Amino acid sequence: MDTQTAHCASTPGSLKLPFTSSPHKRALSDLCRYLMTLASNEIATTELSRSALVFSPHPDDESLGCGGTIIKKKQVGATVNLVHMTDGSGSHSGVISALELREIRARESVNAARVLGVDHTYFLDFEDTRLTENVGRATERVVEILRKEKPEEVFVPHRLEPMRQAADHVATTAIVLAALDEYRTRVTVWEYPVWFWLHWPWVGLRPQCPPIKARHIARNTLHSSFGLRAFKELRRYVDIADVVGQKRAALAEHKSQMTKLMPDWSTLNQVSRGQFLDCFYYRREFFRLSVIG
């Protein structure tokens, strides 16, 4: 889910607006999620049993965006395979070498996949942050995997992920959709949000984690119509209340993203003082549904 973060720190004296700080902020986001649930439909168990390919821009996006759904699908006997598009080597540039981080994140991915129950993981190993430069080759690889696995469903990042924070996410979805067009077989597409949540009311407007700035969150908030776009786009959900603990365990295996390994090491729970990470611990995972072919 990488966006490069040199360090994270709160900013005293930042702009304070109504419903931008805890506990009011948490109460508002919880209310909005409850209303989203009322406005959407639960995914049936019969749908959960379908075979799936999960496309993850970086190691950890699968656990964040649809980890609970993967677990629920495995509980009902579905075959779930995972495809990591990039090597994740850019999340802590300047703090650790890309080669070392690439090896760390590959090991973490294997461990997290074991917790989720994934059947097989493909590593395409395109360079983190440069997926847009490899669209042609990546599309060919995805077509090969589609033809081999013949999934009934694919999971990809939401098509409206903010480009500034999620260029690899946007590229992943575009690549997979192009590959599905070439594959020419009917497939259900589930789009899962990750950086999509980086706007009010899901996180506060105050900057907490450079290089993410207040204006970035404000811009995302405007583009999302102050959260209303989530109600329009994310109309299906999976109730993961009984497996949130297992999802947390899978995320914990991504130690390079979740644990402060050295003094200058940034972690996901520092983004918006944990409000961003809270989006992935909610009892429901929301999706955008489409059918191709």
Side-chain angles (χ1 to χ4, degrees), residues 19-132:
F19 295 110
T20 62
S21 60
S22 299
H24 299 100
K25 169 68 201 56
R26 184 180 295 275
L28 176 63
S29 56
D30 285 348
L31 173 62
C32 289
R33 290 188 185 97
Y34 172 72
L35 294 175
M36 281 182 63
T37 301
L38 296 181
S40 56
N41 296 308
E42 186 171 5
I43 297 172
T45 302
T46 53
E47 293 179 85
L48 290 176
S49 64
R50 296 171 181 168
S51 62
L53 268 176
V54 178
F55 291 90
S56 178
H58 315 95
D60 79 345
D61 287 308
E62 80 296 332
S63 298
L64 288 163
C66 55
T69 300
I70 292 172
I71 296 166
K72 298 288 284 189
K73 288 178 72 64
K74 291 304 303 176
Q75 286 181 343
V76 295
T79 297
V80 181
N81 294 309
L82 174 61
V83 183
H84 288 306
M85 302 295 288
T86 76
D87 58 14
S89 62
S91 65
H92 291 79
S93 60
V95 183
I96 188 175
S97 73
L99 178 60
E100 186 176 358
L101 186 55
R102 172 180 175 174
E103 294 173 350
I104 289 172
R105 298 197 72 177
R107 290 195 300 270
E108 292 172 348
S109 175
V110 171
N111 294 335
R114 186 178 300 115
V115 175
L116 294 174
V118 168
D119 293 279
H120 178 73
T121 302
Y122 292 89
F123 293 90
L124 301 193
D125 284 333
F126 290 104
E127 185 177 349
D128 192 354
T129 74
R130 304 187 69 173
L131 189 56
T132 55

Side-chain angles (χ1 to χ4, degrees), residues 10 13 17 39 78 90 92 102 130 136 145 147 164 180 203 227 270 282:
S10 61
L17 298 173
H92 291 79
R102 172 180 175 174
R130 304 187 69 173
I145 295 171
R147 288 174 175 164
R164 185 177 185 90
L180 286 170
V203 302
Q270 292 172 281
Y282 188 60

Side-chain angles (χ1 to χ4, degrees), residues 178-194:
L180 286 170
D181 188 52
E182 185 174 341
Y183 181 51
R184 296 184 180 180
T185 300
R186 185 178 177 86
V187 177
T188 301
V189 179
W190 297 99
E191 299 178 22
Y192 59 86
V194 180

